[in-house]
Amino acid sequence: MSQIQPTVEVVPPEAAPPPPLGPAHRLRLPGWMRLLLSNPKSRVGLVMVGFMVIVALIAPLISVSDPTAFNLLAAGQAPSWHHLFGTTDQGSDIFSQVVVGSRRSLLLGAAAGALATLLATVLGLIAAYSGGIADDAINFLINVFLVIPVIPLLVVISAYLKNRNMGTMILVLGLTLWAFEARILRGQALTLRNRDFVQAAKVAGESTLRIVFGEIMPNMISRIAAAFVLVFYVSLLVDAGLTFLGLGDTTHTSWGMTLYWAQSLSAVEQGEWWLFMFPGMALVITVLGLTFVLAGIDEISNPRLRNDMRTRRRLVRRLIAPFVSGRAALHTEETV
């Protein structure tokens, strides 16, 4: 008789729990963001600018009323719980004007900065790499724009413009603020065009555009970023100044528009300080934040400034070391 073989039930092994996420699997920030966050000045600047950007993004949600609406029953009120930043002589809410106006002001400054940086980068790099007639022509154009005073030129151009909408002002600011950065970028590109990696690309038969924008430009990213930040806050201030003088777009809500109506209504003479203070504070926070970011970029990209920063940190540590050690010794004695 054949023996009956016992059946063995095969139990599949339990699935092993997934391994914990290590540092390599966590969310990694881009390299340029890690560098900016490693610098104290740029960290402070990013927080300040980021706050203003968040305010601009959520402006429709936190705005308490239409910034252009009139309410004569609430005209000329000082800051209170009902109107955090006060009201104008027509009863318009200043808080709504500041938060809604941040959208246009920041967008105009960023767009004008991007346009000016694009022109400065393209013309500066092509002039430095090409040399000869192209370099002479572009350098002559740069010198012409540098000789003409920018602010009087913008005042004259704005005075003759019939349409001063945001697109027109972006073009005007971008086309007049590019020359200074183009000169700096051209000088830096001149130091790179004879490097080994550029010569190797030439020998390999790479095209001029590939060499300029694929080999030279990546080594100038920090300087290009600094150019954008600089033109950003200059455009922001110039637009607010022109609008304050009545030479900008006073039909759309912006920080400059609020300042324009404040000076038109003689707010200072009437003691209505809040009309100037709050849009001015928004400008100060944004420009100061961009200045900190620019200083951080300079310290990161400039070895001399980076070494000076490390020296200052070591000096501060040496100065506070006796106090820290003395406090630690005192704490140990009290514990004993």
Short mmCIF file of all heavy atoms in Angstrom, two decimals, residues 24-89:
data_model
loop_
_atom_site.label_atom_id
_atom_site.label_comp_id
_atom_site.label_asym_id
_atom_site.label_seq_id
_atom_site.Cartn_x
_atom_site.Cartn_y
_atom_site.Cartn_z
N ALA A 24 19.33 60.26 2.08
CA ALA A 24 19.40 60.30 0.62
C ALA A 24 18.02 60.28 -0.01
O ALA A 24 17.85 60.67 -1.17
CB ALA A 24 20.22 59.11 0.09
N HIS A 25 16.98 59.74 0.75
CA HIS A 25 15.64 59.64 0.18
C HIS A 25 14.75 60.82 0.56
O HIS A 25 13.62 60.90 0.10
CB HIS A 25 14.98 58.34 0.66
CG HIS A 25 15.72 57.10 0.23
ND1 HIS A 25 15.57 56.55 -1.01
CD2 HIS A 25 16.65 56.35 0.87
CE1 HIS A 25 16.34 55.46 -1.12
NE2 HIS A 25 17.02 55.33 0.01
N ARG A 26 15.21 61.66 1.42
CA ARG A 26 14.40 62.80 1.83
C ARG A 26 14.39 63.87 0.74
O ARG A 26 15.19 63.85 -0.18
CB ARG A 26 14.93 63.37 3.14
CG ARG A 26 14.78 62.41 4.32
CD ARG A 26 15.47 62.95 5.54
NE ARG A 26 15.43 61.98 6.63
CZ ARG A 26 16.14 62.09 7.74
NH1 ARG A 26 16.96 63.13 7.92
NH2 ARG A 26 16.05 61.17 8.68
N LEU A 27 13.46 64.78 0.92
CA LEU A 27 13.35 65.87 -0.05
C LEU A 27 14.63 66.71 -0.04
O LEU A 27 15.05 67.20 1.00
CB LEU A 27 12.15 66.76 0.30
CG LEU A 27 11.88 67.95 -0.61
CD1 LEU A 27 11.57 67.47 -2.03
CD2 LEU A 27 10.75 68.79 -0.07
N ARG A 28 15.23 66.84 -1.19
CA ARG A 28 16.48 67.58 -1.31
C ARG A 28 16.21 68.90 -2.03
O ARG A 28 15.56 68.93 -3.08
CB ARG A 28 17.53 66.77 -2.08
CG ARG A 28 17.94 65.50 -1.36
CD ARG A 28 18.99 64.75 -2.16
NE ARG A 28 20.21 65.52 -2.31
CZ ARG A 28 21.20 65.52 -1.42
NH1 ARG A 28 21.10 64.79 -0.32
NH2 ARG A 28 22.29 66.24 -1.61
N LEU A 29 16.71 69.95 -1.45
CA LEU A 29 16.56 71.27 -2.06
C LEU A 29 17.57 71.43 -3.18
O LEU A 29 18.61 70.78 -3.19
CB LEU A 29 16.78 72.36 -1.01
CG LEU A 29 15.76 72.43 0.13
CD1 LEU A 29 16.21 73.46 1.16
CD2 LEU A 29 14.38 72.78 -0.39
N PRO A 30 17.26 72.28 -4.17
CA PRO A 30 18.26 72.56 -5.21
C PRO A 30 19.53 73.12 -4.61
O PRO A 30 19.53 73.71 -3.52
CB PRO A 30 17.54 73.60 -6.10
CG PRO A 30 16.09 73.43 -5.81
CD PRO A 30 15.99 72.97 -4.39
N GLY A 31 20.64 72.95 -5.33
CA GLY A 31 21.93 73.39 -4.82
C GLY A 31 21.98 74.87 -4.53
O GLY A 31 22.53 75.29 -3.49
N TRP A 32 21.39 75.69 -5.42
CA TRP A 32 21.46 77.12 -5.20
C TRP A 32 20.64 77.54 -3.97
O TRP A 32 21.02 78.45 -3.24
CB TRP A 32 20.96 77.87 -6.44
CG TRP A 32 19.53 77.58 -6.79
CD1 TRP A 32 19.06 76.60 -7.62
CD2 TRP A 32 18.36 78.29 -6.33
NE1 TRP A 32 17.69 76.64 -7.70
CE2 TRP A 32 17.23 77.67 -6.93
CE3 TRP A 32 18.17 79.37 -5.47
CZ2 TRP A 32 15.93 78.10 -6.69
CZ3 TRP A 32 16.86 79.80 -5.24
CH2 TRP A 32 15.78 79.17 -5.86
N MET A 33 19.53 76.80 -3.70
CA MET A 33 18.74 77.12 -2.53
C MET A 33 19.48 76.74 -1.25
O MET A 33 19.43 77.46 -0.24
CB MET A 33 17.39 76.40 -2.60
CG MET A 33 16.48 76.69 -1.41
SD MET A 33 16.07 78.44 -1.22
CE MET A 33 14.93 78.65 -2.59
N ARG A 34 20.19 75.60 -1.27
CA ARG A 34 20.97 75.20 -0.09
C ARG A 34 22.07 76.22 0.19
O ARG A 34 22.37 76.52 1.35
CB ARG A 34 21.57 73.81 -0.30
CG ARG A 34 20.54 72.69 -0.32
CD ARG A 34 21.19 71.34 -0.06
NE ARG A 34 22.19 71.03 -1.06
CZ ARG A 34 21.92 70.39 -2.21
NH1 ARG A 34 20.68 70.02 -2.48
NH2 ARG A 34 22.88 70.11 -3.07
N LEU A 35 22.68 76.75 -0.87
CA LEU A 35 23.72 77.76 -0.67
C LEU A 35 23.15 79.04 -0.06
O LEU A 35 23.74 79.62 0.85
CB LEU A 35 24.41 78.06 -2.00
CG LEU A 35 25.41 77.03 -2.52
CD1 LEU A 35 25.91 77.42 -3.90
CD2 LEU A 35 26.58 76.89 -1.55
N LEU A 36 22.00 79.46 -0.57
CA LEU A 36 21.39 80.67 -0.03
C LEU A 36 20.99 80.49 1.43
O LEU A 36 21.18 81.38 2.26
CB LEU A 36 20.18 81.08 -0.86
CG LEU A 36 20.44 81.74 -2.21
CD1 LEU A 36 19.13 82.04 -2.91
CD2 LEU A 36 21.25 83.02 -2.04
N LEU A 37 20.44 79.32 1.74
CA LEU A 37 20.02 79.08 3.12
C LEU A 37 21.20 78.90 4.07
O LEU A 37 21.03 78.99 5.29
CB LEU A 37 19.12 77.84 3.17
CG LEU A 37 17.75 77.99 2.49
CD1 LEU A 37 16.99 76.68 2.55
CD2 LEU A 37 16.94 79.11 3.13
N SER A 38 22.38 78.63 3.51
CA SER A 38 23.55 78.49 4.37
C SER A 38 24.12 79.84 4.82
O SER A 38 24.96 79.88 5.72
CB SER A 38 24.65 77.71 3.64
OG SER A 38 25.15 78.45 2.53
N ASN A 39 23.65 80.91 4.21
CA ASN A 39 24.15 82.24 4.55
C ASN A 39 23.13 82.98 5.41
O ASN A 39 21.95 83.05 5.06
CB ASN A 39 24.42 83.04 3.26
CG ASN A 39 25.05 84.39 3.53
OD1 ASN A 39 24.35 85.36 3.78
ND2 ASN A 39 26.37 84.45 3.50
N PRO A 40 23.54 83.55 6.56
CA PRO A 40 22.56 84.21 7.45
C PRO A 40 21.85 85.38 6.79
O PRO A 40 20.64 85.56 6.97
CB PRO A 40 23.42 84.67 8.64
CG PRO A 40 24.65 83.82 8.60
CD PRO A 40 24.89 83.52 7.15
N LYS A 41 22.58 86.19 6.03
CA LYS A 41 21.95 87.36 5.41
C LYS A 41 20.89 86.94 4.39
O LYS A 41 19.78 87.50 4.37
CB LYS A 41 23.01 88.22 4.73
CG LYS A 41 23.96 88.91 5.70
CD LYS A 41 24.98 89.75 4.96
CE LYS A 41 25.96 90.40 5.93
NZ LYS A 41 27.00 91.19 5.22
N SER A 42 21.23 85.98 3.54
CA SER A 42 20.26 85.56 2.53
C SER A 42 19.07 84.86 3.16
O SER A 42 17.95 84.96 2.65
CB SER A 42 20.93 84.64 1.50
OG SER A 42 21.50 83.51 2.13
N ARG A 43 19.27 84.17 4.31
CA ARG A 43 18.13 83.56 4.99
C ARG A 43 17.14 84.62 5.45
O ARG A 43 15.93 84.48 5.25
CB ARG A 43 18.61 82.73 6.19
CG ARG A 43 19.14 81.37 5.85
CD ARG A 43 19.10 80.45 7.07
NE ARG A 43 19.90 80.97 8.17
CZ ARG A 43 21.16 80.67 8.39
NH1 ARG A 43 21.80 79.87 7.55
NH2 ARG A 43 21.81 81.18 9.42
N VAL A 44 17.67 85.68 6.07
CA VAL A 44 16.79 86.76 6.52
C VAL A 44 16.09 87.41 5.32
O VAL A 44 14.88 87.68 5.35
CB VAL A 44 17.60 87.81 7.31
CG1 VAL A 44 16.74 89.02 7.65
CG2 VAL A 44 18.17 87.20 8.58
N GLY A 45 16.84 87.65 4.24
CA GLY A 45 16.25 88.26 3.07
C GLY A 45 15.18 87.40 2.43
O GLY A 45 14.13 87.91 2.01
N LEU A 46 15.41 86.09 2.34
CA LEU A 46 14.41 85.20 1.76
C LEU A 46 13.14 85.16 2.59
O LEU A 46 12.04 85.09 2.04
CB LEU A 46 15.00 83.78 1.62
CG LEU A 46 16.05 83.59 0.53
CD1 LEU A 46 16.65 82.20 0.62
CD2 LEU A 46 15.45 83.81 -0.84
N VAL A 47 13.28 85.23 3.92
CA VAL A 47 12.09 85.26 4.77
C VAL A 47 11.29 86.54 4.52
O VAL A 47 10.05 86.50 4.39
CB VAL A 47 12.49 85.14 6.25
CG1 VAL A 47 11.30 85.43 7.16
CG2 VAL A 47 13.04 83.75 6.55
N MET A 48 11.97 87.67 4.42
CA MET A 48 11.27 88.94 4.22
C MET A 48 10.60 89.00 2.86
O MET A 48 9.42 89.36 2.74
CB MET A 48 12.27 90.10 4.37
CG MET A 48 12.88 90.20 5.76
SD MET A 48 14.24 91.40 5.87
CE MET A 48 13.34 92.93 5.72
N VAL A 49 11.33 88.62 1.82
CA VAL A 49 10.74 88.64 0.47
C VAL A 49 9.66 87.58 0.35
O VAL A 49 8.61 87.81 -0.27
CB VAL A 49 11.84 88.43 -0.58
CG1 VAL A 49 11.24 88.39 -1.98
CG2 VAL A 49 12.88 89.55 -0.50
N GLY A 50 9.90 86.39 0.93
CA GLY A 50 8.89 85.34 0.87
C GLY A 50 7.59 85.76 1.55
O GLY A 50 6.50 85.43 1.07
N PHE A 51 7.71 86.49 2.66
CA PHE A 51 6.50 86.98 3.33
C PHE A 51 5.70 87.90 2.41
O PHE A 51 4.47 87.78 2.31
CB PHE A 51 6.90 87.71 4.61
CG PHE A 51 5.76 88.44 5.27
CD1 PHE A 51 4.80 87.74 5.98
CD2 PHE A 51 5.66 89.82 5.18
CE1 PHE A 51 3.73 88.42 6.59
CE2 PHE A 51 4.61 90.50 5.78
CZ PHE A 51 3.65 89.79 6.49
N MET A 52 6.38 88.82 1.73
CA MET A 52 5.67 89.74 0.84
C MET A 52 5.08 89.01 -0.36
O MET A 52 3.99 89.35 -0.83
CB MET A 52 6.62 90.84 0.37
CG MET A 52 7.19 91.72 1.48
SD MET A 52 5.92 92.43 2.57
CE MET A 52 4.92 93.36 1.41
N VAL A 53 5.77 87.99 -0.85
CA VAL A 53 5.24 87.21 -1.97
C VAL A 53 3.98 86.45 -1.54
O VAL A 53 2.98 86.38 -2.28
CB VAL A 53 6.31 86.24 -2.51
CG1 VAL A 53 5.71 85.26 -3.52
CG2 VAL A 53 7.44 87.02 -3.17
N ILE A 54 4.00 85.87 -0.33
CA ILE A 54 2.82 85.16 0.18
C ILE A 54 1.65 86.12 0.33
O ILE A 54 0.50 85.80 -0.01
CB ILE A 54 3.15 84.47 1.51
CG1 ILE A 54 4.14 83.33 1.28
CG2 ILE A 54 1.89 83.95 2.18
CD1 ILE A 54 4.65 82.69 2.54
N VAL A 55 1.93 87.33 0.84
CA VAL A 55 0.87 88.34 0.96
C VAL A 55 0.27 88.65 -0.41
O VAL A 55 -0.96 88.77 -0.55
CB VAL A 55 1.42 89.62 1.62
CG1 VAL A 55 0.43 90.77 1.49
CG2 VAL A 55 1.73 89.37 3.09
N ALA A 56 1.12 88.78 -1.43
CA ALA A 56 0.63 89.07 -2.77
C ALA A 56 -0.22 87.92 -3.31
O ALA A 56 -1.23 88.14 -3.99
CB ALA A 56 1.80 89.36 -3.70
N LEU A 57 0.19 86.68 -3.03
CA LEU A 57 -0.54 85.53 -3.55
C LEU A 57 -1.92 85.38 -2.92
O LEU A 57 -2.88 85.00 -3.59
CB LEU A 57 0.28 84.25 -3.34
CG LEU A 57 1.57 84.13 -4.16
CD1 LEU A 57 2.33 82.86 -3.77
CD2 LEU A 57 1.26 84.11 -5.66
N ILE A 58 -2.01 85.66 -1.62
CA ILE A 58 -3.29 85.48 -0.93
C ILE A 58 -4.03 86.81 -0.76
O ILE A 58 -4.97 86.89 0.04
CB ILE A 58 -3.08 84.81 0.44
CG1 ILE A 58 -2.27 85.73 1.38
CG2 ILE A 58 -2.40 83.46 0.29
CD1 ILE A 58 -2.15 85.19 2.79
N ALA A 59 -3.63 87.82 -1.51
CA ALA A 59 -4.25 89.14 -1.36
C ALA A 59 -5.77 89.11 -1.51
O ALA A 59 -6.48 89.75 -0.71
CB ALA A 59 -3.63 90.12 -2.35
N PRO A 60 -6.35 88.40 -2.49
CA PRO A 60 -7.82 88.40 -2.59
C PRO A 60 -8.50 87.79 -1.37
O PRO A 60 -9.66 88.10 -1.09
CB PRO A 60 -8.08 87.57 -3.85
CG PRO A 60 -6.83 87.64 -4.64
CD PRO A 60 -5.73 87.69 -3.62
N LEU A 61 -7.79 86.91 -0.64
CA LEU A 61 -8.39 86.25 0.51
C LEU A 61 -8.35 87.13 1.76
O LEU A 61 -9.26 87.04 2.61
CB LEU A 61 -7.67 84.92 0.80
CG LEU A 61 -7.68 83.90 -0.34
CD1 LEU A 61 -6.88 82.66 0.04
CD2 LEU A 61 -9.11 83.51 -0.71
N ILE A 62 -7.32 87.94 1.91
CA ILE A 62 -7.18 88.73 3.13
C ILE A 62 -7.62 90.18 2.94
O ILE A 62 -7.67 90.94 3.91
CB ILE A 62 -5.73 88.69 3.65
CG1 ILE A 62 -4.76 89.28 2.61
CG2 ILE A 62 -5.31 87.28 4.00
CD1 ILE A 62 -3.32 89.34 3.08
N SER A 63 -7.89 90.58 1.71
CA SER A 63 -8.37 91.95 1.48
C SER A 63 -9.78 92.08 2.03
O SER A 63 -10.66 91.27 1.74
CB SER A 63 -8.34 92.26 -0.02
OG SER A 63 -8.89 93.53 -0.28
N VAL A 64 -10.01 93.11 2.84
CA VAL A 64 -11.31 93.25 3.51
C VAL A 64 -12.34 93.95 2.64
O VAL A 64 -13.54 93.88 2.93
CB VAL A 64 -11.13 94.01 4.84
CG1 VAL A 64 -10.27 93.20 5.80
CG2 VAL A 64 -10.53 95.39 4.62
N SER A 65 -11.89 94.65 1.60
CA SER A 65 -12.84 95.36 0.74
C SER A 65 -12.16 95.68 -0.58
O SER A 65 -10.96 95.44 -0.76
CB SER A 65 -13.33 96.66 1.41
OG SER A 65 -12.24 97.56 1.59
N ASP A 66 -12.92 96.22 -1.50
CA ASP A 66 -12.37 96.67 -2.77
C ASP A 66 -11.44 97.86 -2.50
O ASP A 66 -11.86 98.86 -1.90
CB ASP A 66 -13.51 97.08 -3.70
CG ASP A 66 -13.01 97.48 -5.08
OD1 ASP A 66 -11.78 97.51 -5.28
OD2 ASP A 66 -13.85 97.76 -5.96
N PRO A 67 -10.17 97.77 -2.90
CA PRO A 67 -9.23 98.87 -2.57
C PRO A 67 -9.58 100.20 -3.21
O PRO A 67 -9.10 101.24 -2.76
CB PRO A 67 -7.88 98.35 -3.08
CG PRO A 67 -8.23 97.31 -4.09
CD PRO A 67 -9.51 96.68 -3.64
N THR A 68 -10.41 100.17 -4.26
CA THR A 68 -10.78 101.43 -4.92
C THR A 68 -12.17 101.92 -4.53
O THR A 68 -12.62 102.96 -5.03
CB THR A 68 -10.72 101.25 -6.45
OG1 THR A 68 -11.62 100.21 -6.84
CG2 THR A 68 -9.31 100.88 -6.89
N ALA A 69 -12.85 101.16 -3.65
CA ALA A 69 -14.21 101.55 -3.25
C ALA A 69 -14.17 102.74 -2.30
O ALA A 69 -13.27 102.85 -1.46
CB ALA A 69 -14.93 100.37 -2.60
N PHE A 70 -15.15 103.65 -2.43
CA PHE A 70 -15.26 104.82 -1.58
C PHE A 70 -16.32 104.56 -0.50
O PHE A 70 -17.36 103.95 -0.75
CB PHE A 70 -15.64 106.06 -2.37
CG PHE A 70 -14.58 106.52 -3.34
CD1 PHE A 70 -14.90 107.35 -4.39
CD2 PHE A 70 -13.27 106.11 -3.18
CE1 PHE A 70 -13.91 107.77 -5.28
CE2 PHE A 70 -12.28 106.52 -4.05
CZ PHE A 70 -12.61 107.35 -5.11
N ASN A 71 -16.02 105.02 0.69
CA ASN A 71 -16.97 104.93 1.81
C ASN A 71 -16.81 106.20 2.64
O ASN A 71 -15.98 106.27 3.55
CB ASN A 71 -16.71 103.69 2.66
CG ASN A 71 -17.71 103.54 3.79
OD1 ASN A 71 -18.71 104.28 3.86
ND2 ASN A 71 -17.45 102.59 4.69
N LEU A 72 -17.59 107.21 2.30
CA LEU A 72 -17.43 108.52 2.94
C LEU A 72 -17.75 108.48 4.43
O LEU A 72 -17.29 109.35 5.19
CB LEU A 72 -18.33 109.55 2.25
CG LEU A 72 -17.99 109.83 0.77
CD1 LEU A 72 -18.95 110.86 0.19
CD2 LEU A 72 -16.55 110.30 0.63
N LEU A 73 -18.48 107.47 4.88
CA LEU A 73 -18.77 107.37 6.30
C LEU A 73 -17.54 106.97 7.11
O LEU A 73 -17.49 107.21 8.32
CB LEU A 73 -19.90 106.34 6.54
CG LEU A 73 -21.26 106.69 5.92
CD1 LEU A 73 -22.25 105.56 6.19
CD2 LEU A 73 -21.79 108.00 6.51
N ALA A 74 -16.56 106.34 6.43
CA ALA A 74 -15.33 105.92 7.11
C ALA A 74 -14.13 106.71 6.62
O ALA A 74 -12.99 106.23 6.68
CB ALA A 74 -15.10 104.41 6.91
N ALA A 75 -14.34 107.91 6.12
CA ALA A 75 -13.25 108.68 5.51
C ALA A 75 -12.29 109.21 6.56
O ALA A 75 -12.69 109.66 7.64
CB ALA A 75 -13.84 109.85 4.72
N GLY A 76 -10.98 109.13 6.24
CA GLY A 76 -9.95 109.73 7.08
C GLY A 76 -9.79 109.13 8.44
O GLY A 76 -9.39 109.82 9.38
N GLN A 77 -10.07 107.84 8.60
CA GLN A 77 -9.95 107.20 9.92
C GLN A 77 -8.53 106.71 10.15
O GLN A 77 -7.88 106.19 9.25
CB GLN A 77 -10.94 106.04 10.04
CG GLN A 77 -12.39 106.46 10.08
CD GLN A 77 -13.31 105.28 10.38
OE1 GLN A 77 -12.86 104.17 10.61
NE2 GLN A 77 -14.61 105.55 10.35
N ALA A 78 -8.07 106.85 11.38
CA ALA A 78 -6.76 106.34 11.76
C ALA A 78 -6.83 104.81 11.90
O ALA A 78 -7.92 104.23 11.93
CB ALA A 78 -6.31 106.97 13.08
N PRO A 79 -5.68 104.13 11.98
CA PRO A 79 -5.69 102.67 12.13
C PRO A 79 -6.50 102.23 13.35
O PRO A 79 -6.39 102.80 14.44
CB PRO A 79 -4.20 102.32 12.30
CG PRO A 79 -3.50 103.41 11.57
CD PRO A 79 -4.31 104.64 11.79
N SER A 80 -7.32 101.18 13.15
CA SER A 80 -8.18 100.66 14.22
C SER A 80 -8.44 99.19 13.92
O SER A 80 -7.95 98.63 12.93
CB SER A 80 -9.49 101.45 14.29
OG SER A 80 -10.22 101.30 13.08
N TRP A 81 -9.25 98.54 14.77
CA TRP A 81 -9.58 97.14 14.54
C TRP A 81 -10.42 96.98 13.29
O TRP A 81 -10.37 95.94 12.62
CB TRP A 81 -10.32 96.56 15.75
CG TRP A 81 -9.43 96.33 16.93
CD1 TRP A 81 -9.44 97.00 18.11
CD2 TRP A 81 -8.39 95.35 17.03
NE1 TRP A 81 -8.47 96.52 18.95
CE2 TRP A 81 -7.81 95.49 18.31
CE3 TRP A 81 -7.89 94.37 16.18
CZ2 TRP A 81 -6.77 94.68 18.76
CZ3 TRP A 81 -6.86 93.57 16.61
CH2 TRP A 81 -6.30 93.73 17.88
N HIS A 82 -11.23 97.96 12.96
CA HIS A 82 -12.07 97.88 11.76
C HIS A 82 -11.27 98.15 10.50
O HIS A 82 -11.54 97.58 9.44
CB HIS A 82 -13.24 98.86 11.87
CG HIS A 82 -14.16 98.56 13.00
ND1 HIS A 82 -15.04 97.50 13.00
CD2 HIS A 82 -14.34 99.19 14.21
CE1 HIS A 82 -15.73 97.48 14.14
NE2 HIS A 82 -15.32 98.50 14.89
N HIS A 83 -10.29 99.04 10.60
CA HIS A 83 -9.42 99.36 9.46
C HIS A 83 -7.98 99.35 9.98
O HIS A 83 -7.51 100.34 10.57
CB HIS A 83 -9.78 100.72 8.86
CG HIS A 83 -11.18 100.81 8.35
ND1 HIS A 83 -11.58 100.26 7.15
CD2 HIS A 83 -12.29 101.37 8.91
CE1 HIS A 83 -12.88 100.49 6.98
NE2 HIS A 83 -13.33 101.16 8.03
N LEU A 84 -7.29 98.23 9.78
CA LEU A 84 -5.97 98.02 10.41
C LEU A 84 -4.98 99.10 10.02
O LEU A 84 -4.15 99.51 10.83
CB LEU A 84 -5.44 96.64 10.02
CG LEU A 84 -6.19 95.44 10.57
CD1 LEU A 84 -5.56 94.14 10.07
CD2 LEU A 84 -6.22 95.47 12.09
N PHE A 85 -5.02 99.54 8.76
CA PHE A 85 -4.08 100.55 8.29
C PHE A 85 -4.74 101.90 8.09
O PHE A 85 -4.14 102.80 7.50
CB PHE A 85 -3.44 100.11 6.98
CG PHE A 85 -2.50 98.94 7.10
CD1 PHE A 85 -1.92 98.37 5.97
CD2 PHE A 85 -2.20 98.38 8.34
CE1 PHE A 85 -1.05 97.29 6.08
CE2 PHE A 85 -1.34 97.30 8.46
CZ PHE A 85 -0.77 96.75 7.32
N GLY A 86 -5.97 102.07 8.55
CA GLY A 86 -6.67 103.32 8.38
C GLY A 86 -7.35 103.43 7.02
O GLY A 86 -7.37 102.47 6.23
N THR A 87 -7.90 104.60 6.74
CA THR A 87 -8.60 104.84 5.48
C THR A 87 -8.14 106.16 4.88
O THR A 87 -7.55 107.01 5.55
CB THR A 87 -10.12 104.87 5.68
OG1 THR A 87 -10.45 105.95 6.57
CG2 THR A 87 -10.64 103.56 6.26
N THR A 88 -8.44 106.34 3.61
CA THR A 88 -8.13 107.58 2.91
C THR A 88 -9.24 108.60 3.16
O THR A 88 -10.23 108.32 3.83
CB THR A 88 -7.98 107.33 1.40
OG1 THR A 88 -9.26 106.90 0.88
CG2 THR A 88 -6.95 106.24 1.13
N ASP A 89 -9.06 109.77 2.57
CA ASP A 89 -10.10 110.81 2.72
C ASP A 89 -11.37 110.45 1.98
O ASP A 89 -12.41 111.08 2.22
CB ASP A 89 -9.56 112.15 2.19
CG ASP A 89 -8.54 112.76 3.14
OD1 ASP A 89 -8.43 112.27 4.29
OD2 ASP A 89 -7.83 113.69 2.74
#
